[in-house]
Amino acid sequence: MDATVHFRASFDTWADDQFADGSDVTPRYHPHAVEFVLAHVAPGGRVKKAYRRGTMFKARIAIMRDWANHCCPPPQAAKVDTDNAVPMRKTA
């Protein structure tokens, strides 16, 4: 696997490789939302930008949450073995 230290390239490659649940062809993220995350502006030329009013803010939040979990996975909850646990006695 090729790796890069460039954030934009790493993120764009990761986002392109994410697919909708149960699919290996349907992208998980809308390409415009990915571009918004990378550039913070609407993708496209002047004319396209003039007509695009939305910011895809909720989609951008979801993408960045998934990216953060990819880069720094949340810790797994500790598994407690209750089969050999001994209850503590109350003291006076």
Side-chain angles (χ1 to χ4, degrees), residues 4 9 12 19 29 33 38 41-42 47 50 54 58-59 63-65 68-69 74 77 88:
T4 180
D12 197 34
F19 298 100
Y29 309 118
L38 288 170
V41 295
V47 173
K58 288 183 181 179
I63 293 170
M64 292 310 295
R65 182 185 55 241
N69 288 338
M88 306 257 324

Side-chain angles (χ1 to χ4, degrees), residues 10-84:
S10 297
F11 172 78
D12 197 34
T13 302
W14 170 84
D16 285 345
D17 288 344
Q18 303 304 305
F19 298 100
D21 292 337
S23 172
D24 57 355
V25 295
T26 304
R28 183 171 185 170
Y29 309 118
H30 193 286
H32 289 166
V34 173
E35 285 302 314
F36 265 117
V37 169
L38 288 170
H40 303 288
V41 295
R46 273 189 353 218
V47 173
K48 194 81 165 165
K49 289 178 185 178
Y51 290 100
R52 182 171 288 125
R53 302 283 191 250
T55 61
M56 302 185 90
F57 190 68
K58 288 183 181 179
R60 290 162 55 191
I61 290 172
I63 293 170
M64 292 310 295
R65 182 185 55 241
D66 292 348
W67 171 247
N69 288 338
H70 171 74
C71 293
C72 300
Q76 299 294 323
K79 189 172 183 178
V80 178
D81 182 9
T82 58
D83 291 338
N84 64 358

